[in-house]
Amino acid sequence: MARVAKIVGSRLLSDLHELASIGRSGAGVRRVAYSESDVAARRWIAQKFAAAGLTPQIDRVGNVFGRWPGAARALLIGSHTDTVPSGGWLDGSLGVIYALEVARAMAEAGAEQPIGIDVVDFADEEGTFAGWFGSRTFCGDFNTALWNDVRDSEGRTLTDALTVFADRPQVRLNKAHTIGYLEAHIEQGPRLEALNRSIGIVSSIVGIRTGRAHFTGRADHAGTTPMAMRKDAGQLLFAFVNRLIARFSEKATRDTVWNFGNVVLTPGAANVVPSEADLSIQYRDAELRQLELFDNIVQEEAQLINAAESGRCSITMTMATKPILMDQTFQSCLRDAAAIIGHASVDLPSGAGHDAAALALHIPIGMLFVPSKGGRSHTPDEDTDEKDIVAGAEVLLAAAQRLVHAKR
Ligand SMILES: [Zn+2]
């Protein structure tokens, strides 16, 4: 006789705390991809999957799977347990322990299921070597020929880092088996807290544009050269930034964000007019047409500079990802689950990238957010209220149950 599947809050929290103790660093956690602590956490996760009755497997790139025994088809739930160098205890880990708890609760209930629950802990989501490396490899979207070239900040290649998993097979996405991917994550922003909601239903993952603007002028004596006779690459850069801020602000939606994260002036002395200036630019939005509008603004402003005689401006875009929409059925299952359990939810886009974005190119996906205290993440201060942690797991379980029935 099947029982009702139930999240055990105390067990969920104690697993999260135990995982946080692997690679603890001061008040935070340091488990950068393929470090000793990251590999130790992956071995611990595999044991937890096995103890929950799932079939564990660590693959060639360190992705850890827990397979629902005997299922011809399964819903995949997961996230990542690697961290940034000075990370918090919940980024990624929350989604992996949720997946474990949901599978464990459903297995304990003992119900016959036409569709199982597979769980996953993806490797190197944070990009110590390459962002979403584990999930992209799982999807067949990362060329193994690059392993010798891709390095971490200490110069170690992926090939070297992966020797620890050298004897393992590569696990690939099988679309005939996996009906979709569900990921829960901390919001990493302040919106849910500001709205006083426990649950965010992710509507899309924003598209990201990253590039550089390079300005060329002429180096001159900063004391003796009259202002009107200079070709000042620095002044061009600052005027360009001011124009972009004015025009971006005018066209921005509620969800548009932009950042000028790095400025380099050369030669870089107070008494020399800069001959070169380099600027990093990034903007994100959930709408493709908004990104294209910003692309045009950047190009127009660069052309205005080049049309004048005061110097040159060239734009190089280094990354352009499209916004990714969540599957409608996944979204409505999450929304209904939150409503039935009685947790206030709100739809919102994800301003950060996630493994789900890699999976979305191949299978339906859905994402759920829980609030981040003060919107803080990628810092040891990262935290979420215990009641919100438990609420998120309850909604994820209810949504997973709905999905395995909706997709049968
Ligand atoms: Zn994350």
Side-chain angles (χ1 to χ4, degrees):
M1 181 67 187
R3 295 172 298 274
V4 178
K6 232 180 140 0
I7 295 295
V8 181
S10 54
R11 176 173 68 184
L12 167 74
L13 290 165
S14 109
D15 281 348
L16 275 169
H17 285 292
E18 193 176 338
L19 176 54
S21 73
I22 306 173
R24 186 184 300 286
S25 167
V29 179
R30 182 187 173 91
R31 281 195 308 261
V32 295
Y34 309 122
S35 62
E36 220 170 277
S37 55
D38 177 52
V39 173
R42 288 177 186 279
R43 298 220 158 99
W44 178 85
I45 284 287
Q47 283 169 11
K48 296 302 274 189
F49 289 172
L54 302 162
T55 308
Q57 184 177 24
I58 303 181
D59 82 356
R60 180 69 184 90
V61 295
N63 291 330
V64 190
F65 298 89
R67 302 279 189 193
W68 192 269
R73 293 194 300 155
L75 170 67
L76 183 64
I77 311 181
S79 193
H80 63 97
T81 57
D82 66 300
T83 71
V84 292
S86 185
W89 71 300
L90 294 174
D91 179 355
S93 297
L94 177 101
V96 174
I97 299 298
Y98 270 16
L100 166 66
E101 180 62 21
V102 165
R104 198 158 47 187
M106 286 171 83
E108 282 170 353
E112 283 293 318
Q113 280 182 219
I115 296 174
I117 302 291
D118 287 347
V119 297
V120 63
D121 170 9
F122 285 119
D124 198 15
E125 190 274 347
E126 297 288 4
T128 296
F129 291 87
W132 312 341
F133 171 64
S135 48
R136 285 196 284 160
T137 300
F138 174 62
C139 293
D141 293 332
F142 195 98
N143 187 346
T144 48
L146 296 173
W147 285 11
N148 284 325
D149 302 325
V150 176
R151 292 169 190 272
D152 67 5
S153 61
E154 279 149 24
R156 193 161 75 132
T157 64
L158 258 176
T159 306
D160 282 348
L162 290 171
T163 50
V164 62
F165 301 120
D167 57 343
R168 295 170 183 276
Q170 180 61 58
V171 174
R172 296 266 188 226
L173 172 65
N174 173 358
K175 286 162 79 169
H177 176 80
T178 303
I179 63 158
Y181 177 67
L182 193 55
E183 179 168 359
H185 205 278
I186 52 167
E187 184 198 353
Q188 304 180 279
R191 288 196 192 178
L192 288 176
E193 192 178 67
L195 293 166
N196 199 22
R197 306 287 169 99
S198 301
I199 304 292
I201 313 293
V202 178
S203 52
S204 60
I205 298 175
V206 297
I208 306 175
R209 297 284 203 265
T210 305
R212 301 199 75 86
H214 188 79
F215 302 84
T216 313
R218 189 183 64 211
D220 277 307
H221 194 294
T224 57
T225 317
M227 293 306 285
M229 295 174 69
R230 298 183 184 191
K231 288 186 188 297
D232 185 331
Q235 301 255 0
L236 283 180
L237 181 150
F238 296 123
F240 180 79
V241 167
N242 280 328
R243 291 281 303 155
L244 290 192
I245 291 172
R247 294 189 64 188
F248 284 0
S249 303
E250 193 184 301
K251 299 290 185 191
T253 67
R254 192 195 60 172
D255 298 326
T256 321
V257 293
W258 61 86
N259 187 42
F260 304 107
N262 184 253
V263 169
V264 180
L265 303 184
T266 310
N271 58 358
V272 185
V273 175
S275 56
E276 310 272 335
D278 203 59
L279 168 75
S280 78
I281 306 172
Q282 186 178 78
Y283 38 97
R284 306 182 186 213
D285 198 275
E287 297 285 339
L288 184 60
R289 63 171 182 274
Q290 185 71 14
L291 293 168
E292 289 170 347
L293 181 68
F294 275 38
D295 293 342
N296 288 337
I297 291 174
V298 170
Q299 292 299 338
E300 281 167 22
E301 291 300 325
Q303 281 161 16
L304 279 179
I305 290 171
N306 290 330
E309 292 293 293
S310 48
R312 302 289 301 167
C313 173
S314 64
I315 306 292
T316 314
M317 298 310 286
T318 52
M319 172 177 168
T321 65
K322 286 182 182 162
I324 285 166
L325 291 177
M326 302 292 124
D327 180 81
Q328 294 281 342
T329 308
F330 276 62
Q331 274 191 74
S332 59
C333 283
L334 285 163
R335 207 178 286 121
D336 294 350
I340 282 169
I341 298 174
H343 295 304
S345 75
V346 62
D347 289 16
L348 79 178
S350 170
H354 296 287
D355 288 311
L359 278 289
L361 302 176
H362 304 275
I363 53 174
I365 61 158
M367 279 196 82
L368 169 155
F369 278 166
V370 295
S372 295
K373 284 186 186 171
R376 307 290 308 283
S377 182
H378 283 187
T379 152
D381 296 338
E382 174 184 281
D383 202 11
T384 297
D385 212 276
E386 283 192 356
K387 74 167 178 18
D388 288 333
I389 291 178
V390 176
E394 288 169 350
V395 173
L396 194 70
L397 169 63
Q401 289 173 313
R402 285 169 172 269
L403 277 167
V404 298
H405 288 289
K407 298 273 181 181
R408 65 192 294 173

